[in-house]
Amino acid sequence: MKFYPYKRLNRPITLRVTSASLRLPDGSRDHLDISAFSIPQRTVALGVAQHEDWVSARIGLSATLPPGATDVDAPWSDLRVLAVLIEGASNVRTSAELRQDAPGSKEWSGEMELFRDDHVSRASLSAHAVATVGEVPGRAITETDGDWTVDVTAEEPLGGLRLDVKQASFSKSAREWLRPYADVPWVIDASGRLPVVMVNTDIEGFSDLLGGESGGMENKVHEILVSQMATDVWTAVFHSAVGDLEVEPDGSPVFPTDWRGEVLREMLPDVVPGLHVEEALRQVHRRRTGDAGWVELQTRIHYAAVRRAGASKALANVLHALQKMNREGSA
């Protein structure tokens, strides 16, 4: 534990990547879609577009400071928020100053530009809040507690939300809570440190099919099953997160600092489009705890979960495989 001879915040900054684009040799810019970065895994994969000769990358950033950072009676002044990118292999350090979204807001945003020639593979991205404390400028008052990874060559951001899959006989499990679900193929437990998918081994052949190692159409079925599981996980963790929010004295909900907060930040733009994530969370909280609007929001929550689970791609692959089998069968 570190000790500081001045006042600091006791909660970390939450940092998110909101966009990524590559500048190509001809001066054009390729804007990468959301598959290039994963908020739960805190990873950016700049190789997703498979450009071998890109010149630089521009990464959009958003940071949320913890409660108290921007209070008018805070024991500091001249508050600034900096994003810092460090790669040990090439000994390169790049920084960018973020801008406050609105006076008094805890939300800060900006962009960082990194050049391909400066980097070998993976760099760590963090955020730091500095201010003048006790007439001493440049003192760190809080920072992120977990870095993002920016990988200049990877084509996958570590697969999105990690699925912790465990197998058990639901009817005979020592986990008594599983027994009432003995007739379903899987259930989601979102109460722990990470979401867990419990797979029911009582359903004959299901575990083998889920393994997807037999090739052919079985692999396609495996893919669509995994996407359905991922849809269930995204939906479950969203409801888990909004169901147990801390609330500030003025009634405003606070983003969780663990993976639940990261999931909310990724899904909220699709659940309540057109609003900044802070206001979107307030609206979702009002609808869940108020008299109306929560039921109508379920379609948007499902839509956000389906997008992040890659269900459309998995379904398209199955349909393509079926069409191919039909053509070969009729030849």
Side-chain angles (χ1 to χ4, degrees), residues 52-72:
E52 297 291 338
D53 56 352
W54 57 272
V55 177
S56 65
R58 182 178 297 165
I59 300 174
L61 301 170
S62 178
T64 302
L65 271 59
T70 57
D71 289 355
V72 293

Side-chain angles (χ1 to χ4, degrees), residues 90-105:
S90 58
N91 199 28
V92 169
R93 185 186 188 95
T94 306
S95 63
E97 185 166 358
L98 306 185
R99 301 174 300 278
Q100 193 173 22
D101 289 358
S105 173

Side-chain angles (χ1 to χ4, degrees), residues 16 20 27 59 67 72 75 88 96 100 114 137-138 141 161 163 189 200 203 216 238 245 252 260 266 275 290 308 331:
R16 299 166 304 284
I59 300 174
V72 293
Q100 193 173 22
L114 63 97
I141 61 170
L161 183 65
L163 297 183
D189 179 11
N200 189 1
I203 299 179
F238 185 89
L245 291 171
S252 298
R260 291 177 177 85
E266 182 156 346
L275 296 180
R308 274 141 192 86

Side-chain angles (χ1 to χ4, degrees), residues 2 17 82 114 133 140 163 173 179 216 242 262 272 286 290 294:
K2 294 182 179 179
V17 169
L82 303 173
L114 63 97
V133 187
L163 297 183
S173 176
R179 295 176 187 172
V242 298
E262 295 169 348
V272 190
R286 284 195 299 268
W294 180 238

Side-chain angles (χ1 to χ4, degrees), residues 31 105 111 124 156 164 185 233 280 311 325:
H31 295 273
S105 173
E111 295 179 330
S124 296
E156 293 285 343
D164 185 4
V233 170
M325 287 177 59

Side-chain angles (χ1 to χ4, degrees), residues 24-44:
L24 305 180
D26 62 1
S28 64
R29 188 167 290 278
D30 185 359
H31 295 273
L32 308 182
D33 62 25
I34 61 173
S35 65
F37 52 92
S38 167
I39 291 179
Q41 299 295 347
R42 297 182 183 180
T43 302
V44 183

Side-chain angles (χ1 to χ4, degrees), residues 40 161-162 164 166 189-196 237 240 257-263:
L161 183 65
R162 184 163 72 250
D164 185 4
K166 296 181 179 179
D189 179 11
S191 63
R193 188 178 60 87
L194 286 173
V196 177
V237 296
S240 173
T257 57
D258 60 4
W259 57 268
R260 291 177 177 85
E262 295 169 348
V263 166

